[in-house]
Amino acid sequence: MLRRAGPCLRHFLLKRKSSTGYSSYSGEAKMSKPLQARRLEGIDKNIWVEFVQLAATYSTVNLGQGFPDFPAPDFLKEAFVRALSGKNHMLHQYTRAFGHPPLVKILAQFYGKLLGRDLDPMTDVMVTVGAYQALFCCFQAFVDEGDEVIIIEPFFDCYEPMVKMAGGTPVFVPLRPKAPKDGKMMSSADWRLDSAELASKFSKRTKAIVLNSPNNPLGKVFSREELELIADLCVKHDVLCISDEVYEWLVYDGKELVRIASLRGMWDRTVIVGSAGKTFSATGWKVGWTVGPNRLLQHLRIVHQNSVYHCATVAQEAVAQGFQRELELFGKPESYFVQLPKELQQKRDWLVQSLNAVGMKPIIPEGTYFLVADISEFKSDVPDVPDSDEPYDSRFAKWMVKNKGLAAIPLSAFYCEAHKNNYNDFIRFCFAKEEATLKAANDILQKWKQEKTSP
Ligand code: PMP
């Protein structure tokens, strides 16, 4: 207002303020219009804000949020330093909006090899600010008011608000656990889709399904049979698939990762989402990408050019060099994509042992760096809160971090509000941690076990 007022009026307004202490232009002119856009309604809660804060305040060992506490590989850091301080000063300037040419070229080559098809780097790949922005672009580009998007529970929590923000309606379908026979430990493979239930969620309103394999939080790697079921339904109902594959290199016990885009009829209707954060253990770099046919990616480019427009050039250059190295070492023992899962599988097994010892029943993950454990036998440890609809696992995770110093995330956080009490006997740990961190977690669990067993 003041900027618009001419010099005389401004003088008058300022004078009025100083003589009466009252100003007709500052602070008092409250807006009566609603401030918040309608599309933000009901999506204000974010579990991470609360649990990250709790971990920061109370934890001595944080196995909550999903990021490695070990360093990113040297070859990647060195590539970043070279990009930063090398002779090519243009790496400090904007690059191509839809992806730095060296990065889209190597991604096209790499995914072309994985999918067995020729990819055009300029049209079939787009670089984003982490996988998060890739997902945002997908929902904004494809989802209209009235469209439904199928989300498989438990799910990475941002899918639901992103669908809603785009005006769509999330439709949830759960993975249903089936206890293994012969007293064996449960595996993430024991959590399965019910085929009839899944089929019942598809309708004329369904625009897309979100698939996350390997899945955060369970670590489930969907089998070929399950993916074929999803693919057949997508083709039958003319539905898109947003395939979040950020943990694509973190698969254990020699299990095969089947890419849904490689199944019959799926390339044309799938967007693959990837992340250098997960691939190269550098979550802070926030380099992500989408891979898919131009007929889909052309719409993502519109969202990208009208929002973020461009991602940090130096980081893209370094990730391009990382992929160059990995292409040369593909499948060899020195490859990071071979070494990282080997190390993480060992860490997974240590955590399984530690949890077993204290009586938390681990669900062995086939992939990712997460492990979900059953805490149903700890109900007597945690004070009951009568009339609270807070799920038991959430109360347990808060109690554990405050009383034992160990941070984890309740599984109920990966369900929609209406289903948050359906599977609330579980917590999720992240095992992408230094040996010392996992040892410290083990010490806490062993001490806890002694306290429980001593009279
Ligand atoms: N998808 C899944 C399943 C994730 O777990 C995460 C990160 N936790 C993301 C996407 C976002 O990845 P980025 O950090 O690259 O944005």
Side-chain angles (χ1 to χ4, degrees):
M1 255 181 161
L2 189 57
R3 203 150 35 97
R4 288 248 228 83
C8 295
L9 178 58
R10 194 182 310 156
H11 176 74
F12 168 70
L13 290 171
L14 288 170
K15 228 172 112 194
R16 250 185 92 167
K17 184 181 182 198
S18 56
S19 58
T20 62
Y22 161 77
S23 159
S24 57
Y25 62 89
S26 76
E28 303 302 318
K30 283 209 180 105
M31 284 185 72
S32 55
K33 285 180 187 159
L35 289 179
Q36 182 174 288
R38 273 195 307 279
R39 65 182 163 277
L40 301 193
E41 271 165 29
I43 61 165
D44 51 331
K45 277 201 210 130
N46 183 309
I47 150 92
W48 301 106
V49 177
E50 186 180 14
F51 277 89
V52 167
Q53 184 56 44
L54 278 169
T57 314
Y58 297 104
S59 78
T60 40
V61 180
N62 186 356
L63 303 188
Q65 221 184 340
F67 58 84
D69 72 348
F70 48 77
D74 285 345
F75 67 82
L76 191 79
K77 289 188 287 184
E78 284 157 15
F80 196 101
V81 172
R82 273 198 308 277
L84 191 77
S85 44
K87 289 213 175 72
N88 185 359
H89 61 269
M90 291 314 288
L91 293 177
H92 293 272
Q93 306 307 326
Y94 295 133
T95 182
R96 180 175 164 271
F98 306 121
H100 187 47
L103 181 55
V104 287
K105 281 183 195 153
I106 192 73
L107 285 171
Q109 245 181 299
F110 210 99
Y111 280 87
K113 186 178 168 84
L114 297 174
L115 296 164
R117 64 169 58 240
D118 281 342
L119 299 182
D120 182 333
M122 298 302 150
T123 58
D124 303 344
V125 180
M126 185 180 86
V127 176
T128 54
V129 180
Y132 223 90
Q133 193 227 337
L135 292 163
F136 184 79
C137 285
C138 289
F139 296 121
Q140 288 294 320
F142 300 132
V143 178
D144 265 326
E145 296 277 335
D147 285 344
E148 291 183 355
V149 177
I150 299 174
I151 298 176
I152 301 168
E153 288 180 313
F155 58 93
F156 179 50
D157 62 305
C158 76
Y159 303 153
E160 182 185 4
M162 283 192 189
V163 169
K164 287 183 174 164
M165 220 188 309
T169 306
V171 172
F172 300 97
V173 60
L175 288 167
R176 297 203 177 270
K178 199 165 158 218
K181 289 192 186 111
D182 316 325
K184 276 209 298 208
M185 272 196 268
M186 192 178 245
S187 144
S188 54
D190 294 318
W191 289 61
R192 297 181 62 87
L193 286 166
D194 178 287
S195 53
E197 189 175 21
L198 177 67
S200 75
K201 304 291 174 179
F202 282 77
S203 75
K204 332 194 259 307
R205 291 181 301 278
T206 313
K207 185 68 182 282
I209 181 166
V210 187
L211 173 72
N212 175 212
S213 179
N215 159 276
N216 174 10
L218 279 172
K220 179 182 171 65
V221 177
F222 283 69
S223 67
R224 182 176 290 276
E225 181 204 351
E226 288 170 300
L227 295 177
E228 275 169 356
L229 170 73
I230 296 172
D232 287 350
L233 287 164
C234 285
V235 172
K236 180 173 169 199
H237 295 272
D238 196 18
V239 163
L240 296 171
C241 179
I242 299 165
S243 185
D244 180 342
E245 300 179 12
V246 298
Y247 299 102
E248 60 195 313
W249 299 107
L250 307 183
V251 177
Y252 309 124
D253 306 314
K255 175 122 194 165
E256 179 198 19
L257 176 78
V258 180
R259 293 170 193 272
I260 197 162
S262 69
L263 301 186
R264 199 156 43 94
M266 289 308 287
W267 167 252
D268 266 346
R269 55 181 71 249
T270 302
V271 176
I272 297 171
V273 172
S275 162
K278 311 295 171 179
T279 300
F280 290 113
S281 311
T283 57
W285 288 23
K286 291 298 284 185
V287 175
W289 52 85
T290 55
V291 175
N294 186 38
R295 68 181 276 269
L296 301 184
L297 262 58
Q298 62 181 322
H299 308 294
L300 304 190
R301 290 198 289 271
I302 301 174
V303 181
H304 185 75
Q305 83 196 10
N306 290 307
S307 52
V308 165
Y309 190 73
H310 176 277
C311 313
T313 312
V314 175
Q316 291 193 63
E317 171 71 19
V319 172
Q321 292 189 25
F323 267 106
Q324 190 64 54
R325 175 192 188 270
E326 287 304 305
L327 189 62
E328 282 154 24
L329 295 177
F330 193 80
K332 300 207 172 115
E334 311 89 280
S335 154
Y336 191 65
F337 297 170
V338 172
Q339 281 177 354
L340 181 64
K342 220 166 130 193
E343 281 168 29
L344 285 171
Q345 183 172 322
Q346 166 92 69
K347 293 182 180 202
R348 175 197 69 172
D349 295 343
W350 286 338
L351 185 59
V352 165
Q353 275 178 17
S354 305
L355 293 171
N356 254 333
V358 75
M360 287 188 197
K361 288 175 253 147
I363 299 168
I364 315 295
E366 304 153 276
T368 75
Y369 43 51
F370 300 113
L371 185 156
V372 170
D374 182 329
I375 43 145
S376 53
E377 280 175 21
F378 287 71
K379 293 210 165 120
S380 57
D381 290 51
V382 184
D384 209 7
V385 185
D387 303 329
S388 157
D389 84 329
E390 182 175 7
Y392 159 64
D393 60 358
S394 174
R395 286 189 288 114
F396 179 88
K398 287 179 187 168
W399 175 87
M400 185 170 76
V401 71
K402 286 182 189 165
N403 292 276
K404 305 290 173 191
L406 180 61
I409 305 290
L411 188 70
S412 56
F414 301 89
Y415 285 82
C416 71
E417 184 63 22
H419 300 164
K420 71 179 182 188
N421 270 305
N422 288 6
Y423 296 97
N424 65 10
D425 277 350
F426 303 92
I427 51 175
R428 189 202 75 175
F429 295 95
C430 171
F431 55 86
K433 304 293 170 192
E434 297 270 21
E435 237 176 280
T437 314
L438 293 172
K439 191 173 170 312
N442 183 53
D443 291 346
I444 291 177
L445 292 167
Q446 293 302 331
K447 194 163 159 245
W448 190 352
K449 183 187 161 199
Q450 276 161 16
E451 286 161 8
K452 272 172 97 66
T453 47
S454 60

